[in-house]
Amino acid sequence: MARCEVCGNDYDKSFRVETAAGTRHTFDSVECAAHVLAPRCDHCSVRIMGHGLEYGGRVFCCAHCASAAGIAGFTDRIAAP
Ligand SMILES: [Zn+2]
Ligand SMILES: [Zn+2]
């Protein structure tokens, strides 16, 4: 049993996450892990659960948000051959 650092639940399926930077966390759910670890889009503030798009230290959830923030070059799709 380990207590989730976000909600305090002492749960038998809790898990630990160690980041590359060396910080350690304990969570009872992926939701609680995302609350702490997932970055937020620099434009719309949505929690980024996938890979996201990064430019100059700023992270975006999609090409639309990157372009709305004035960053050109990201695209949602490329032309099929
Ligand atoms: Zn929790
Ligand atoms: Zn966004």
Side-chain angles (χ1 to χ4, degrees), residues 9-67:
N9 186 21
D10 196 6
Y11 186 45
D12 65 343
K13 292 177 183 65
S14 292
F15 55 94
R16 292 204 169 85
V17 175
E18 182 175 345
T19 67
T23 9
R24 289 178 190 197
H25 301 276
T26 304
F27 304 109
D28 67 336
S29 67
V30 172
E31 179 69 33
C32 286
H35 180 71
V36 171
L37 299 175
R40 289 198 176 258
C41 176
D42 201 68
H43 180 68
C44 74
S45 299
V46 82
R47 212 178 275 153
I48 300 169
M49 304 296 288
H51 292 91
L53 305 169
E54 195 170 343
Y55 177 86
R58 301 168 76 189
V59 186
F60 301 94
C61 67
C62 64
H64 161 79
C65 283
S67 76

